[in-house]
Structure formats: structure tokens, C-alpha cells
Amino acid sequence: MKKQTKTTFSRRGFIRTSALAGGGMLIGFNFLTACKDEVKPPVDIANLNFNDFNAYIKIADNGYVTIFSPNPEIGQGVKTSMPMIVAEELDVPWEHVHVEQAGLDTDNYRGQVAGGSQSIRQNWDVLRQTGATAKQMLVNAAAAKWQIDASEVSAKNGIITSKSGKTLGYGDVVKEAAALEVPENVPLKEPKHFKIIGNDALNVDLDKIVTGKPLFGLDYKKDGMHIASVMRPPSFGQTLKDFDDTESRKITGVTDVFQFGDKIAVLAKNTWSAVKGKKALKANWEDNALESTEKHDELLLGLLNSSEGDVRREDGDVDKAFAEADQIIDRIYESPFLPHNCMEPMNFYADVTSEKVQLAGPIQTPEGTANRVANLLDLAPEEIEVELTRMGGGFGRRLYGDFALEAAEISSKAGKPIKLVYSREDDMNAGIFRPAIKYRISASLKDGKVTGYKLKEAAINSNMYGLIPNFFPAGAIPNLKIESANYKSNITTGAWRAPYTNFLAFAEQSFFDEVAEALNQDAVQLRLDLLDNVDEGADDRIQYSASRMKEVIKLAAEKGDWNNTPDGIYKGFSAYYSHNTHVAEVAEISIQNGMPKVERVTAAVDCGIVINPTGANNQVVGGVLDGIGHAMYGDFTFEAGKPSASNFDTYRLIRMNETPKVAVHFIDSEIAPTGLGEPGLPPAGGAVANAIKAATGKRLLKQPFTKYLAETESEVKG
């Protein structure tokens, strides 16, 4: 178990306190990597006369608390769970907490990023210390008021009580607390005393989401704002030669058309006019290096079979292990490009003036984006103001901020405030795609054991994109070699939900099932036996915990009733570590009309302490369904640089009637929390692939599974 750390805060580094005009206490702190949250209290906080500050706890004179959360909310739920941590240690009733979204503020915050499932993990200690320190200051103020020692005073549920029975509310002493020194080494609660953490809390934006209140970037409006729609090269590798905007300018509502770079912006008074204006444009394009999926397949296979590549990890004597093997298993696994397809297409607001630059919208990297905009406009970063909105999905796409730079450049050239709005076709075709990747995995078997393991990655634009050399099976197999090779393409690629592991987990977990079959061993037992080989602590490069992984494997096998398979049901197993969390899954499928249908998935998860069980369950279920949907159906190709699909009529997603039941079981833990937005996704594809093998006898080597099954004309039994 991770030992709870004591953090010492100085008045300058941790808390800035001051008396508010309305009689409140202002407590500032770094959230490092948080996300926004809002719970409507049973009083109108607008009447509490608070000043408008960012990145602070505010305690009103009636005891109600406002928490400003600086980091982006992309649906991962930290706008609810992170304030729960502060409220727990502050010891206020959750229903007395109101949370608001802060804008970008590099003076008061660090790491205003949403990505990598790291918000809770990186902020656990500082958030707890923030709440606990604020509580101690209130206790000290009450003790001074009563002229007794602070050891004779306690606080609970927003009420301060002396040993003699005197009581004060937090709001009764906020003015006095603001004048006190910041205490050091404040003790934190033991997990067994948690009252908020570990209990269900509804998403604090739930009412606004279901009633359509403005929260998202597409909801954002400002007086005088114009809508911008952009024509981009239809194929990767094309540049703009010339264009004719005569017909575009005739459309009612269109106010301007101009070129920037190899793109053309159409400005209008409303979205429909902007879209019509773009469609009316006539443009000619210059073809340069136009690439195709067929070319990529050839290049990546060539890399796998060549000596080219960088060695990322090498243990023992791999060549000797393979030379002495009784049997060698060698497989190549292949995955396509994938778009992100967030429910809310890319959009961003920009108002560039000589005085300042105001930006607003859904972005996972506000600080990095502000710096890029500053560089683009030749301004200082402090001249850029960024307001954050809730996001209708991110999945890594909104890490890059290219759309925000477009908005800023258009506003600068137009000299007016604009909101850039992507159509679905823009969003799918002008994306940052998950790169196509191929893996070659080999194992040497001797005397009923795995003696050697080789894995080589060949990826588009992403050397080591999907390759984690210190994850399982590192440390579990004595002779191991991990290497990667890369091909540079003009197709834009980047992080896609559960980067590094979203496809690698399927490849490795399918491969280990094949190894188990060759050794005539149960698939679950093989993984447990391999993990028994890991000497925990002996190799500090290894990132996963063998003991924690074994626990989730055993729990998933138990809850998924691994050894009992009803007639007509076929099961598959998978286990994977990613984003600091261990997950194991059992998938159950049936055969319907000659094709597999996923009926149920049982997931076991060790993410340390679970802050909000409802939110945590939702994250795992969402990750499982996302993983299954893309493994089964996700396909995206390029021909002469042009994407194969531009909307959902030609790009296949999982449908409601194809979603299985998902049962999630969390390991009971007092270890500090780890990531949860992404780890449920990677094992899903492998579990389903292994279940399909049980049903059809066919090993799946490519995604999407349905396409691969059709191509190989697999004989299905069932």
C-alpha cells in the first residue's frame, strides 16, 4: 500500500488567504490536473457576494463552499470526483459544495491538461492536503475565538465543536481564519473514516446535460460573433492552387471569404450560411505525395521483416532461446487507422484584437494551445485568455488544438470575433488519426515453458506509439526482446483513447492464448504462472505489479465463472495493465446469423481507492464498449491520400443492439487511486478475440474482426 504522504505548504506555495468583501475565506491551491465539477447547493450562491476568482476554495459566511476546478472535463467525471476529495478532507457535506470551471491561469495552476487518465492519480495528495489544511485553519480560528487549545476542538460536517460542547459553523470563523498562519504537516483521514469518497455521487453537470443547458463549445455564443467554416485539402498531400468564391459570396448571410495557408475560410452570420458558402466554393488542388493504405501495408510488412528498428528492451539471450526451442509460434497482427469521432465535432471561439486575444472552447491542452496561438500571432502567452467549456468527447483528439489555431488565425485576418465549426465530414477527414500499426510477435517454447519472447512494432508516424517495453511480459519471460520501427507519413496521426495499448493489448493477449493452447494449458493459468516468474522490486524498469495483476485475473475468472460455459456461449479471457491500472476481462459471445455477438463482459479492476463508484463504473463500462466496438467494426483506409469515409453512413460504429451487458468489480483497496478513463478499453478486444476463437476455431490477426472473419470465410459453429 502506498504510504500517505505529508505535504508541507507555505503561505506562498500552497495557500493564499484573504478576507473577502462578503465575509468569506479564499483558499487557493494547485489542482495540477483536475477537471471541472458543479453541484447546485440548496441556496442561491449568487447572493453571497463572492468576488470572481479562479483556482480557489471559497467558503462563504453561511458555510457553503465553492471549488474552482481548472482542468478540462471531457466526460471522464473528474469534475465530480476531484471536488469530492477536497470536500472529504475539508469535512463539509457534499450537498453544500458548489464547483465552477476556471479558465486558463498559468500563475496559479500547473498542468491544466486532461489526458492519460492521470488527473486523480497526480492530484490525490495535493487535493487531500488542501482540504485538510483549510479545515485545520478553521479549527484554529475557532480555538482562538474560544481561547482554548486547538487540540480541544474538532470539525465535522461543516460544524466546529469544542470538548465542552460549544459549536460554530465554518462560516462563523472564516474572517478570523483568513488572518492565521498556514499550518504544516496536517494529518489526513484514514480511508476507513471516509464519508464522501467511496460513495456514489451523480455527475454534477447531469441536469444541465439532459436539459440542454449551454455547457459545450458548440453552445458558446458572443454578441457580434461570426461563424467560420473551412475548406481544407480533400486529400493528405495536396496543396491549394487557386479558388473561385463567386458563388459563395452570393449566399445570404456570407460575410467574407479568404485564404489562409492551404485552406479557405468562409465567414457567415450563422452556421447554415457558412456551410452552404463552403460547399459553393470551387477550388483547384496540387497533388504532391498521395499515400494509400495498400502502400502503408507493404511498407509496414517490409519493416517487420527487415533488420531495421530500435531495440527498446532486451533481456537474456533471445537467439539462444529460439535456437533451442521445441516449438516456435510466430504471428503478425494488423490494425487500421481510426478517427476519433467525438460526439461534439471540433469547434472553437476566437476574438483577436489589438488589446488581447480571447479564446473559448473544448480543449484538452489549454496552456499548450495558448502558447501555440501566442507564437502564431507573435504575442506573449500572457496576452492570451482561454475560457474552458465542457467537451462532448475528447479521446485524445482535443489534445492538439489545431482547430483553436485555425480559429485564432481566422479571427486575426477577419478582424472580428468568430467561432470555427467543423462539420462531421470536416471532423472525420481533417483529423488526427490513430496510426495504422503492425506487430510481429514470436515465442519459443521448450519443455512446456515459454523461454523466449520477441515483439517488433512497425507503425505509421509513431515510433514506439503502441509499444510499452516495460509492461507485461517484461520480467515474466527470461529471454525477451522488444523493438520498433517507424514510417513517416504526411497523414496526421496522434493519441487515440488508451494510446500505446489500445491495439497492442489485443495482439499480445490473443498471442498468449495461442501459447496456452500450444502448451495444452488453461489460458488464465498460463498468465498466472508467467506472473509468478516476476521478481517484484528486482527490476525498477517494470511498471506493472505482478501481484495486483494476479488479483484482478483471479477476480475476473471468479466473477466471470470462467470454468463454466453454458451451451451456445463461448468465453475469452484477457488481462492488461495500462495508465497505472490493472484490468482483467472475461467476454462471452454467441453466434447469431453466422457472426459473433458479444453477450456479456465481466471486468475486474484494481485502480486503488475508488472515489465515486458510479462514475468509476461508467468509465469502465464505456471503455469496454468502446474497445469492443472499434475492435469489431472500426475500419478506416486511405486511397491517394483521401480518407475512405466521411460520415457515419460509411464508417461503422457499434450499435445499441450490439452492446453487451458489462459487470464491473473493483478490488477493495486503500492504495492511492490510479487512472480509470482508459484502462477498461485495451483488454476488451483481446477477450472478444479469444472468445471468437473458442466459437469458430479461428485466430483473429486483424482488426476489425467482422471484416477479417468475412475475408477469411471462417466456418462458424454454434
Side-chain angles (χ1 to χ4, degrees), residues 331 333 439 441 453 455 471-474 476-477 501-517 522-528 530-531 544 549 552-553 556 562 571-578 583-586 679 681-691 693 699-701 703 705:
R331 296 290 179 265
Y333 299 87
Y439 292 111
I441 308 179
Y453 183 85
L455 184 149
F471 284 10
F472 180 83
I477 299 173
T501 61
N502 51 58
F503 176 69
L504 176 59
F506 149 69
E508 287 192 313
Q509 290 298 301
S510 297
F511 184 80
F512 278 111
D513 254 43
E514 188 162 359
V515 170
E517 184 177 15
D522 175 74
V524 170
Q525 191 59 50
L526 172 71
R527 290 164 172 83
L528 292 173
L530 287 172
L531 288 165
Y544 68 96
M549 181 63 82
V552 296
I553 287 174
W562 173 247
K571 294 184 179 181
F573 187 85
S574 179
Y576 209 75
Y577 165 89
S578 67
V583 181
E585 296 174 7
V586 175
L681 186 150
V688 170
N690 291 331
K693 167 58 171 65
R699 286 281 174 204
L700 301 181
L701 301 176
Q703 290 184 0
F705 298 159

Side-chain angles (χ1 to χ4, degrees), residues 14 18 65 95 150 174 199-200 203 209 259 362 453 459 528 579 629 642 686:
F14 166 62
S18 62
V65 179
E95 59 271 19
V174 290
N199 288 296
D200 292 332
N203 185 312
I209 292 171
Q259 178 180 351
Y453 183 85
L528 292 173
H579 298 87
K642 186 176 179 62

Side-chain angles (χ1 to χ4, degrees), residues 21 35 50 57 169 220 234 255 291 356 374 463 493 508 536 573 576 602-603 675 715:
C35 289
F50 276 135
I57 292 174
Y220 195 87
T255 59
E291 299 179 9
K356 67 174 183 177
N463 198 14
T493 60
E508 287 192 313
E536 290 199 81
F573 187 85
Y576 209 75
T602 302
E715 292 185 5

